[in-house]
Amino acid sequence: MDFTLEAAAAAVAEATQEVVGRLAPDWTDKFDADGFDRAAWEAFTGAGLTVLALPEALGGDDLPLDALAPLATSAGRAAAVTPLVGTLAATAWLGQHPAAAERVATEEGWYAVAVAERGQALGAPSRITLRADGDASVLTGVKTGVAFAEGAAALLVVTADGVVLVDPQAAGVTLTKTPTSSGAAEFTVTFDEVAVTADDVHDGAELLAADYRALLAAYSAGLLAGAMAMTAEHVTVREQFGKPIAAFQAVGQQLADIYVVSRTLDLIATSVAWRLSNELDAAADLATADYWVAAELPSALRTMTHLHGGIGVDITYPLHRYFSLAKDLARVVGGSTGALDVLADVTVEEAACS
């Protein structure tokens, strides 16, 4: 198989790497002010990378998901904490809904995507529905793990009745900040009979959720690749008994295992983005990606922390940020058990249909 990037994707990857290469992150920052790395976000918006999926009429380039995935991967490789994943998923969906895009258009702002619900993995169907209230509707329910909801230009809420566009400051919307390992802003969002008009409700809920999961997988693949590169460099310069620890067989075996996990996650993320861009069924690949993010990503980071020794848990050392983000990502997708349940459901359903 040929995994060479298409021209658009290659150009996005090159532009992103140039932007990321200029970043100077503060690895001790817990993002108390904005909930994310404001300098990194401004670098992405300043380069025009956050609107690439929008139609040209709205300042974008109408790029498909598989051209956006390298952007998420590069951001993950740099462990950049920004609203990028949610914004890319939102703009990819908005690109298919021009009327909605015009209503919530923003140049330097961001979007938050609300997918997860209590006790459910990302791949599970939404239990939230709209209730008719006269000539209008109301939205009631709770979404969890909504990244960067505060200050967002709009919340794109995945429900059983479609995607609902909601102003985070609308009456009936309550944002409750919840703790994260990395310090990134994350919220539980409660909707208490939020008034919804017909113009707020759109189709494509499954596609928005799938795009969000696909970009999370791409970001996770980049995160693991970045941590692996850092670890490989560390073990070549750290010495024990007069030689680099990379020369020891046990260390080499652990690095080989990490490499396999990294390449597999990258392959799954690539497959998911390609399948969605070509309007193919990606349910099994999405469920597999979620499971690898939940189960294998944190495990690989634990091994790399061990290979770094004491410095690996120092909050001033970059690997600490990578491990913290890995734990957050594993929780956001629903944990290994929840993700495995979704994968099992998809597998059984496909077997029954074959």
Side-chain angles (χ1 to χ4, degrees):
M1 298 179 68
D2 183 4
F3 290 97
T4 303
L5 293 176
E6 298 287 346
V12 170
E14 183 179 354
T16 307
Q17 289 165 7
E18 182 178 345
V19 171
V20 167
R22 296 196 298 265
L23 298 180
D26 175 5
W27 300 109
T28 66
D29 190 359
K30 280 296 183 180
F31 317 113
D32 293 331
D34 297 308
F36 58 87
D37 186 339
R38 175 66 68 170
W41 176 247
E42 290 177 351
F44 288 134
T45 57
L49 298 174
T50 59
V51 297
L52 292 174
L54 292 175
E56 292 184 9
L58 295 176
D61 289 279
D62 200 23
L63 294 185
L65 188 72
D66 56 355
L68 302 177
L71 172 52
T73 300
S74 295
R77 184 182 287 269
V81 178
T82 69
L84 183 67
V85 169
T87 298
L88 290 179
T91 52
W93 180 86
L94 288 168
Q96 305 301 314
H97 298 79
E102 290 181 4
R103 289 186 59 208
V104 297
T106 177
E107 293 185 4
E108 296 184 359
W110 64 91
Y111 302 101
V113 178
V115 181
E117 297 172 18
R118 286 174 175 167
Q120 293 198 147
L122 283 187
S126 174
R127 296 173 296 194
I128 295 179
T129 58
L130 296 175
R131 180 174 61 82
D133 184 20
D135 295 332
S137 301
V138 293
L139 174 64
T140 298
V142 178
K143 289 290 187 178
T144 60
V146 184
F148 315 111
E150 188 173 62
L155 298 176
L156 281 72
V157 186
V158 173
T159 75
D161 295 315
V163 176
V164 183
L165 299 182
V166 179
D167 183 342
Q169 298 181 339
V173 178
T174 302
L175 307 181
T176 304
K177 193 171 185 179
T178 51
T180 60
S181 180
S182 63
E186 189 177 297
F187 297 84
T188 292
V189 185
T190 303
F191 304 96
D192 184 10
E193 300 208 349
V194 178
V196 174
T197 69
D199 291 336
D200 297 324
V201 185
H202 304 267
D203 59 7
E206 289 187 3
L207 180 59
L208 173 59
D211 286 351
Y212 183 66
R213 293 164 66 196
L215 290 165
L216 273 182
Y219 181 89
S220 300
L223 188 78
L224 181 51
M228 182 177 66
M230 186 186 310
T231 303
E233 180 180 0
H234 176 77
V235 297
T236 59
V237 297
R238 178 186 170 194
E239 293 189 354
Q240 280 187 340
F241 309 112
K243 59 181 180 180
I245 63 171
F248 293 100
Q249 185 177 26
V251 173
Q253 289 173 334
Q254 291 178 82
L255 280 175
D257 289 340
I258 294 168
Y259 178 79
V260 170
V261 173
S262 178
R263 295 301 300 146
T264 302
L265 183 54
D266 183 71
L267 173 61
I268 298 169
T270 300
S271 175
V272 165
W274 179 81
R275 295 188 71 83
L276 289 174
S277 295
N278 288 276
E279 300 181 356
L280 300 173
D281 181 15
D285 283 1
L286 280 168
T288 303
D290 286 348
Y291 178 72
W292 274 73
V293 170
E296 299 297 338
L297 178 62
S299 177
L301 264 296
R302 282 194 293 272
T303 300
M304 286 187 275
T305 299
H306 170 71
L307 290 175
H308 275 82
I311 194 175
V313 295
D314 185 345
I315 63 171
T316 66
Y317 188 69
L319 189 68
H320 185 273
R321 170 76 53 79
Y322 283 82
F323 197 2
S324 297
L325 287 169
K327 289 186 284 186
D328 287 340
L329 288 164
R331 174 180 45 75
V332 165
V333 299
S336 57
T337 301
L340 187 59
D341 286 343
V342 173
L343 178 57
D345 290 342
V346 171
T347 303
V348 170
E349 183 178 349
E350 288 188 348
C353 294
S354 63

Coordinates of all heavy atoms in Angstrom, one line a residue, residues 29-114:
D29 N 3.6 25.0 32.5 CA 2.4 25.8 32.4 C 1.2 24.9 32.7 O 1.0 23.9 32.0 CB 2.2 26.5 31.1 CG 1.1 27.5 31.0 OD1 0.4 27.6 32.0 OD2 0.9 28.1 30.0
K30 N 0.3 25.3 33.6 CA -1.0 24.5 33.9 C -2.2 25.2 33.3 O -3.3 24.9 33.5 CB -1.2 24.3 35.4 CG -0.3 23.2 35.9 CD -0.8 21.9 35.3 CE 0.0 20.7 35.9 NZ -0.5 19.4 35.3
F31 N -1.9 26.3 32.4 CA -3.0 26.9 31.6 C -4.1 27.5 32.5 O -5.3 27.4 32.2 CB -3.5 25.9 30.6 CG -2.5 25.1 29.9 CD1 -2.5 23.7 30.1 CD2 -1.6 25.7 29.1 CE1 -1.5 23.0 29.5 CE2 -0.6 24.9 28.5 CZ -0.6 23.6 28.7
D32 N -3.7 28.1 33.6 CA -4.8 28.7 34.5 C -5.5 29.8 33.8 O -6.7 30.0 34.1 CB -4.1 29.2 35.8 CG -3.6 28.0 36.6 OD1 -4.1 26.9 36.5 OD2 -2.6 28.2 37.4
A33 N -4.9 30.6 33.0 CA -5.5 31.8 32.4 C -6.6 31.4 31.3 O -7.7 31.8 31.4 CB -4.5 32.7 31.8
D34 N -6.1 30.7 30.3 CA -7.0 30.5 29.2 C -7.5 29.0 29.1 O -8.4 28.7 28.4 CB -6.3 30.8 27.8 CG -6.0 32.3 27.7 OD1 -6.9 33.1 27.9 OD2 -4.8 32.6 27.5
G35 N -6.8 28.1 29.8 CA -7.1 26.7 29.7 C -6.3 26.0 28.6 O -6.6 24.8 28.3
F36 N -5.5 26.8 27.9 CA -4.7 26.2 26.8 C -3.5 27.1 26.5 O -3.4 28.2 27.1 CB -5.5 25.9 25.6 CG -6.2 27.2 25.0 CD1 -5.5 28.0 24.1 CD2 -7.5 27.5 25.3 CE1 -6.1 29.1 23.6 CE2 -8.1 28.7 24.8 CZ -7.4 29.5 23.9
D37 N -2.7 26.6 25.6 CA -1.5 27.4 25.3 C -1.9 28.5 24.2 O -2.0 28.2 23.0 CB -0.4 26.5 24.6 CG 0.9 27.1 24.4 OD1 0.9 28.4 24.3 OD2 1.9 26.4 24.2
R38 N -2.1 29.7 24.7 CA -2.6 30.8 23.9 C -1.6 31.1 22.7 O -2.0 31.3 21.6 CB -2.8 32.0 24.7 CG -3.2 33.2 24.0 CD -4.5 33.1 23.3 NE -5.6 33.1 24.2 CZ -6.9 33.2 23.9 NH1 -7.2 33.3 22.6 NH2 -7.9 33.2 24.8
A39 N -0.3 31.1 23.0 CA 0.7 31.4 22.0 C 0.7 30.4 20.9 O 0.7 30.7 19.7 CB 2.1 31.4 22.6
A40 N 0.5 29.1 21.2 CA 0.4 28.0 20.2 C -0.8 28.2 19.3 O -0.8 28.1 18.1 CB 0.5 26.7 20.8
W41 N -1.9 28.5 20.0 CA -3.2 28.7 19.3 C -3.1 29.9 18.3 O -3.6 29.8 17.2 CB -4.3 28.9 20.3 CG -5.7 29.2 19.6 CD1 -6.4 30.4 19.7 CD2 -6.4 28.3 18.8 NE1 -7.5 30.3 18.9 CE2 -7.6 29.0 18.4 CE3 -6.2 27.0 18.3 CZ2 -8.5 28.4 17.5 CZ3 -7.2 26.4 17.5 CH2 -8.3 27.1 17.1
E42 N -2.5 31.0 18.8 CA -2.4 32.1 17.9 C -1.5 31.9 16.7 O -1.6 32.4 15.6 CB -1.9 33.3 18.7 CG -2.9 33.9 19.7 CD -2.4 35.0 20.6 OE1 -1.2 35.3 20.5 OE2 -3.2 35.6 21.3
A43 N -0.5 31.0 16.9 CA 0.4 30.6 15.8 C -0.4 29.8 14.8 O -0.2 30.0 13.6 CB 1.6 29.8 16.4
F44 N -1.3 28.9 15.2 CA -2.1 28.1 14.3 C -3.1 29.0 13.5 O -3.2 28.9 12.3 CB -2.9 27.0 15.0 CG -2.0 25.9 15.5 CD1 -2.1 25.4 16.8 CD2 -1.1 25.3 14.7 CE1 -1.4 24.4 17.3 CE2 -0.3 24.3 15.1 CZ -0.4 23.8 16.4
T45 N -3.8 29.9 14.3 CA -4.7 30.8 13.6 C -4.1 31.8 12.7 O -4.5 32.1 11.6 CB -5.6 31.5 14.6 OG1 -4.8 32.3 15.5 CG2 -6.4 30.6 15.5
G46 N -2.9 32.3 13.2 CA -2.2 33.3 12.4 C -1.7 32.7 11.0 O -1.6 33.4 10.0
A47 N -1.4 31.4 11.0 CA -1.0 30.8 9.8 C -2.2 30.3 8.9 O -2.0 29.7 7.8 CB -0.1 29.6 10.1
G48 N -3.4 30.6 9.4 CA -4.6 30.2 8.6 C -4.9 28.7 8.6 O -5.6 28.2 7.8
L49 N -4.4 28.0 9.6 CA -4.5 26.5 9.6 C -5.8 26.0 10.2 O -6.2 24.9 9.9 CB -3.3 25.9 10.4 CG -1.9 26.1 9.8 CD1 -0.9 25.6 10.8 CD2 -1.8 25.4 8.5
T50 N -6.5 26.8 11.0 CA -7.7 26.4 11.6 C -9.0 26.5 10.8 O -10.0 26.0 11.2 CB -7.9 27.2 13.0 OG1 -8.0 28.6 12.6 CG2 -6.7 27.0 13.9
V51 N -8.9 27.1 9.6 CA -10.1 27.3 8.8 C -10.0 26.5 7.5 O -10.8 26.7 6.6 CB -10.3 28.8 8.5 CG1 -10.6 29.5 9.8 CG2 -9.2 29.4 7.8
L52 N -9.0 25.6 7.4 CA -8.7 25.0 6.1 C -9.9 24.1 5.6 O -10.1 24.0 4.4 CB -7.5 24.0 6.2 CG -6.2 24.8 6.5 CD1 -5.1 23.7 6.7 CD2 -5.8 25.6 5.3
A53 N -10.8 23.7 6.5 CA -11.9 22.8 6.0 C -13.1 23.6 5.5 O -14.0 23.1 4.9 CB -12.3 21.9 7.2
L54 N -13.1 24.9 5.9 CA -14.3 25.7 5.5 C -14.3 26.0 4.0 O -13.2 26.0 3.3 CB -14.2 27.1 6.2 CG -14.5 27.0 7.7 CD1 -14.3 28.4 8.4 CD2 -15.9 26.4 8.0
P55 N -15.4 26.3 3.4 CA -15.5 26.7 2.0 C -14.6 28.0 1.7 O -14.4 28.8 2.6 CB -16.9 27.0 1.7 CG -17.6 26.3 2.8 CD -16.7 26.3 4.0
E56 N -14.2 28.1 0.5 CA -13.4 29.3 0.1 C -14.2 30.6 0.4 O -13.6 31.6 0.7 CB -13.0 29.2 -1.4 CG -12.1 28.1 -1.7 CD -11.6 28.1 -3.1 OE1 -11.9 29.0 -3.9 OE2 -11.0 27.1 -3.6
A57 N -15.5 30.6 0.2 CA -16.3 31.8 0.5 C -16.2 32.2 1.9 O -16.4 33.4 2.2 CB -17.7 31.5 0.1
L58 N -15.8 31.3 2.8 CA -15.7 31.7 4.2 C -14.2 31.7 4.7 O -13.9 31.7 5.9 CB -16.5 30.6 5.1 CG -18.0 30.6 4.9 CD1 -18.6 29.6 5.7 CD2 -18.6 32.0 5.3
G59 N -13.3 31.8 3.7 CA -11.9 32.0 4.0 C -11.1 30.7 4.1 O -10.0 30.7 4.5
G60 N -11.7 29.6 3.8 CA -11.0 28.3 3.9 C -10.6 27.8 2.6 O -10.6 28.5 1.6
D61 N -10.2 26.5 2.6 CA -9.7 25.9 1.3 C -10.5 24.6 1.0 O -10.1 23.9 0.1 CB -8.2 25.5 1.5 CG -7.3 26.7 1.5 OD1 -7.0 27.2 0.4 OD2 -6.9 27.2 2.5
D62 N -11.6 24.4 1.7 CA -12.5 23.2 1.5 C -11.7 21.9 1.5 O -11.9 21.1 0.6 CB -13.2 23.5 0.1 CG -14.4 22.6 0.0 OD1 -15.0 22.2 1.1 OD2 -14.9 22.3 -1.1
L63 N -10.8 21.7 2.4 CA -10.0 20.5 2.4 C -10.7 19.4 3.1 O -11.5 19.6 4.1 CB -8.7 20.8 3.2 CG -7.7 21.7 2.5 CD1 -6.4 21.8 3.3 CD2 -7.4 21.3 1.1
P64 N -10.5 18.1 2.7 CA -11.2 17.0 3.3 C -10.4 16.6 4.6 O -9.4 17.1 4.9 CB -11.0 15.9 2.2 CG -9.8 16.3 1.5 CD -9.8 17.8 1.5
L65 N -11.1 15.7 5.3 CA -10.5 15.3 6.6 C -9.1 14.7 6.5 O -8.3 15.0 7.4 CB -11.5 14.3 7.3 CG -11.1 13.9 8.7 CD1 -11.5 15.1 9.7 CD2 -11.9 12.7 9.2
D66 N -8.8 13.9 5.5 CA -7.5 13.3 5.5 C -6.4 14.3 5.2 O -5.2 14.0 5.4 CB -7.5 12.1 4.4 CG -7.9 12.6 3.0 OD1 -8.3 13.7 2.9 OD2 -7.8 11.7 2.1
A67 N -6.8 15.5 4.7 CA -5.8 16.6 4.6 C -5.6 17.3 5.9 O -4.6 18.0 6.1 CB -6.2 17.5 3.4
L68 N -6.6 17.2 6.8 CA -6.5 17.9 8.1 C -5.8 17.1 9.1 O -5.2 17.6 10.0 CB -7.9 18.3 8.6 CG -8.8 19.1 7.7 CD1 -10.1 19.3 8.4 CD2 -8.1 20.5 7.5
A69 N -5.8 15.8 8.9 CA -5.2 14.8 9.9 C -3.8 15.1 10.2 O -3.3 15.1 11.3 CB -5.4 13.4 9.5
P70 N -2.9 15.4 9.2 CA -1.5 15.7 9.4 C -1.3 16.9 10.3 O -0.4 17.0 11.1 CB -0.9 16.0 8.1 CG -1.8 15.2 7.1 CD -3.2 15.3 7.7
L71 N -2.3 17.9 10.3 CA -2.2 19.0 11.2 C -2.4 18.6 12.6 O -1.7 19.0 13.5 CB -3.3 20.0 10.7 CG -3.6 21.3 11.6 CD1 -2.3 22.0 12.0 CD2 -4.6 22.2 11.0
A72 N -3.4 17.8 12.9 CA -3.6 17.3 14.2 C -2.4 16.4 14.7 O -2.0 16.5 15.9 CB -4.9 16.4 14.3
T73 N -1.9 15.6 13.8 CA -0.7 14.8 14.1 C 0.5 15.6 14.5 O 1.2 15.3 15.5 CB -0.4 13.9 13.0 OG1 -1.5 13.0 12.7 CG2 0.8 13.0 13.3
S74 N 0.8 16.7 13.8 CA 1.9 17.5 14.1 C 1.7 18.2 15.4 O 2.6 18.4 16.2 CB 2.1 18.5 12.9 OG 2.5 17.9 11.7
A75 N 0.5 18.7 15.7 CA 0.2 19.3 16.9 C 0.4 18.3 18.1 O 0.9 18.7 19.1 CB -1.2 19.8 16.9
G76 N 0.0 17.1 17.9 CA 0.2 16.1 18.9 C 1.7 15.8 19.1 O 2.1 15.6 20.3
R77 N 2.4 15.7 18.1 CA 3.9 15.5 18.2 C 4.6 16.5 19.0 O 5.5 16.3 19.7 CB 4.5 15.4 16.8 CG 6.0 15.1 16.8 CD 6.5 15.1 15.3 NE 6.0 14.0 14.6 CZ 6.7 12.8 14.5 NH1 7.8 12.6 15.1 NH2 6.2 11.8 13.7
A78 N 4.0 17.8 19.0 CA 4.6 18.9 19.8 C 3.9 19.0 21.1 O 4.3 19.9 21.9 CB 4.5 20.2 19.0
A79 N 2.9 18.1 21.4 CA 2.2 18.2 22.6 C 1.6 19.6 22.8 O 1.5 20.1 24.0 CB 3.0 17.8 23.9
A80 N 1.1 20.1 21.8 CA 0.5 21.5 21.8 C -0.9 21.4 22.4 O -1.8 20.6 21.9 CB 0.4 22.1 20.4
V81 N -1.2 22.1 23.4 CA -2.5 22.1 24.1 C -3.3 23.3 23.6 O -3.1 24.4 24.1 CB -2.3 22.1 25.6 CG1 -3.7 22.2 26.3 CG2 -1.5 21.0 26.1
T82 N -4.2 23.1 22.7 CA -5.0 24.1 22.0 C -6.4 23.5 21.7 O -6.6 22.3 21.7 CB -4.4 24.6 20.7 OG1 -4.4 23.6 19.8 CG2 -2.9 25.1 21.0
P83 N -7.3 24.4 21.3 CA -8.7 23.9 20.9 C -8.6 23.4 19.4 O -9.7 23.4 18.8 CB -9.6 25.1 21.0 CG -8.8 26.1 21.8 CD -7.3 25.8 21.5
L84 N -7.5 22.9 18.9 CA -7.3 22.6 17.5 C -8.2 21.4 17.1 O -8.9 21.5 16.1 CB -5.9 22.3 17.2 CG -5.6 22.0 15.8 CD1 -5.8 23.2 14.9 CD2 -4.1 21.5 15.6
V85 N -8.2 20.3 17.8 CA -9.0 19.1 17.4 C -10.5 19.4 17.3 O -11.1 19.1 16.3 CB -8.7 18.0 18.4 CG1 -9.7 16.8 18.1 CG2 -7.3 17.5 18.3
G86 N -11.0 20.0 18.3 CA -12.5 20.4 18.3 C -12.8 21.4 17.1 O -13.8 21.2 16.4
T87 N -11.9 22.3 16.9 CA -12.1 23.3 15.9 C -12.0 22.7 14.5 O -12.9 23.0 13.6 CB -11.1 24.5 16.0 OG1 -11.3 25.1 17.3 CG2 -11.3 25.5 14.9
L88 N -11.1 21.8 14.3 CA -11.0 21.2 13.0 C -12.2 20.3 12.7 O -12.7 20.3 11.6 CB -9.7 20.3 12.9 CG -8.4 21.1 12.9 CD1 -7.2 20.1 12.8 CD2 -8.3 22.0 11.7
A89 N -12.6 19.5 13.7 CA -13.8 18.7 13.5 C -15.0 19.5 13.2 O -15.8 19.2 12.4 CB -14.0 17.8 14.8
A90 N -15.1 20.6 14.0 CA -16.3 21.5 13.8 C -16.3 22.2 12.4 O -17.3 22.2 11.7 CB -16.3 22.6 14.8
T91 N -15.1 22.6 11.9 CA -15.1 23.3 10.6 C -15.2 22.3 9.5 O -15.8 22.6 8.4 CB -13.7 24.1 10.5 OG1 -12.6 23.2 10.7 CG2 -13.7 25.3 11.4
A92 N -14.8 21.0 9.7 CA -15.0 20.0 8.7 C -16.5 19.8 8.5 O -17.0 19.6 7.4 CB -14.3 18.7 9.1
W93 N -17.3 19.8 9.7 CA -18.7 19.6 9.6 C -19.4 20.9 9.1 O -20.3 20.8 8.2 CB -19.2 19.3 11.0 CG -20.7 19.1 11.0 CD1 -21.4 18.0 10.8 CD2 -21.7 20.1 11.4 NE1 -22.8 18.2 10.9 CE2 -23.0 19.5 11.3 CE3 -21.6 21.5 11.7 CZ2 -24.1 20.2 11.5 CZ3 -22.8 22.2 11.9 CH2 -24.0 21.5 11.9
L94 N -18.9 22.0 9.5 CA -19.5 23.3 9.1 C -19.3 23.5 7.6 O -20.1 24.2 6.9 CB -18.9 24.5 9.8 CG -19.3 24.6 11.3 CD1 -18.4 25.6 12.0 CD2 -20.8 25.0 11.4
G95 N -18.2 22.9 7.0 CA -17.9 23.0 5.6 C -19.0 22.4 4.8 O -19.2 22.7 3.6
Q96 N -19.7 21.4 5.4 CA -20.8 20.8 4.7 C -22.2 21.4 5.0 O -23.2 21.0 4.5 CB -20.9 19.3 5.1 CG -19.6 18.5 4.9 CD -19.2 18.5 3.5 OE1 -20.0 18.3 2.6 NE2 -17.9 18.8 3.2
H97 N -22.2 22.4 5.9 CA -23.4 23.1 6.3 C -23.1 24.6 6.2 O -22.9 25.3 7.2 CB -23.8 22.7 7.7 CG -24.1 21.2 7.8 ND1 -23.2 20.3 7.9 CD2 -25.3 20.6 7.8 CE1 -23.7 19.1 8.0 NE2 -25.0 19.2 7.9
P98 N -23.1 25.2 5.0 CA -22.7 26.6 4.8 C -23.6 27.6 5.6 O -23.1 28.6 6.2 CB -22.9 26.8 3.3 CG -22.7 25.5 2.7 CD -23.3 24.5 3.7
A99 N -24.9 27.3 5.7 CA -25.7 28.2 6.4 C -25.3 28.3 7.9 O -25.3 29.4 8.5 CB -27.2 27.8 6.3
A100 N -25.1 27.1 8.5 CA -24.6 27.1 9.9 C -23.3 27.7 10.0 O -23.0 28.4 11.0 CB -24.6 25.6 10.4
A101 N -22.4 27.5 9.1 CA -21.1 28.1 9.1 C -21.1 29.6 9.1 O -20.4 30.3 9.9 CB -20.2 27.6 8.0
E102 N -22.0 30.2 8.4 CA -22.1 31.7 8.3 C -22.6 32.2 9.7 O -22.3 33.3 10.1 CB -23.1 32.1 7.2 CG -22.5 31.8 5.8 CD -23.4 32.3 4.7 OE1 -24.5 32.8 5.0 OE2 -23.1 32.0 3.5
R103 N -23.5 31.5 10.3 CA -24.1 31.9 11.6 C -23.0 32.0 12.7 O -23.1 32.8 13.6 CB -25.2 31.0 12.0 CG -26.5 31.1 11.2 CD -27.6 30.3 11.8 NE -27.9 30.7 13.1 CZ -28.3 29.9 14.1 NH1 -28.5 28.6 13.8 NH2 -28.6 30.3 15.3
V104 N -22.1 31.0 12.7 CA -21.2 30.9 13.9 C -19.7 31.2 13.4 O -18.8 30.8 14.1 CB -21.3 29.6 14.6 CG1 -22.6 29.4 15.2 CG2 -21.0 28.4 13.6
A105 N -19.6 31.8 12.3 CA -18.2 32.0 11.7 C -17.3 32.8 12.7 O -17.8 33.8 13.4 CB -18.3 32.8 10.4
T106 N -16.1 32.4 12.8 CA -15.1 33.1 13.6 C -13.7 33.0 13.0 O -13.4 31.9 12.4 CB -15.1 32.5 15.1 OG1 -14.1 33.2 15.8 CG2 -14.8 31.1 15.1
E107 N -12.9 34.0 13.1 CA -11.6 34.0 12.5 C -10.6 33.5 13.4 O -9.7 32.7 13.1 CB -11.3 35.4 12.0 CG -12.1 35.9 10.8 CD -11.7 37.2 10.2 OE1 -10.6 37.7 10.7 OE2 -12.3 37.8 9.3
E108 N -10.5 34.1 14.6 CA -9.5 33.7 15.6 C -10.0 32.9 16.8 O -9.3 32.5 17.6 CB -8.7 34.9 16.0 CG -8.0 35.6 14.9 CD -7.2 36.8 15.4 OE1 -7.2 37.1 16.7 OE2 -6.5 37.5 14.6
G109 N -11.4 32.7 16.8 CA -12.0 32.0 17.9 C -11.9 30.5 17.6 O -11.3 30.0 16.7
W110 N -12.6 29.8 18.5 CA -12.6 28.3 18.3 C -14.0 27.7 18.6 O -14.9 28.4 19.0 CB -11.6 27.7 19.3 CG -11.9 27.9 20.7 CD1 -12.6 27.0 21.5 CD2 -11.5 29.0 21.6 NE1 -12.7 27.6 22.8 CE2 -12.0 28.7 22.9 CE3 -10.7 30.1 21.3 CZ2 -11.8 29.6 23.9 CZ3 -10.6 31.0 22.4 CH2 -11.1 30.8 23.7
Y111 N -14.1 26.5 18.3 CA -15.4 25.7 18.5 C -15.1 24.6 19.5 O -14.0 24.0 19.5 CB -15.9 25.2 17.2 CG -16.1 26.2 16.1 CD1 -15.2 26.4 15.1 CD2 -17.3 27.0 16.2 CE1 -15.5 27.4 14.1 CE2 -17.5 28.0 15.2 CZ -16.6 28.2 14.2 OH -16.8 29.1 13.2
A112 N -16.1 24.2 20.2 CA -16.1 23.1 21.1 C -17.1 22.0 20.6 O -18.2 22.4 20.3 CB -16.4 23.5 22.5
V113 N -16.7 20.8 20.6 CA -17.6 19.7 20.1 C -17.9 18.9 21.4 O -17.1 18.4 22.1 CB -16.9 18.8 19.1 CG1 -17.8 17.7 18.7 CG2 -16.5 19.7 17.9
A114 N -19.2 18.7 21.6 CA -19.8 18.0 22.7 C -20.3 16.6 22.3 O -21.3 16.6 21.6 CB -20.8 18.8 23.4

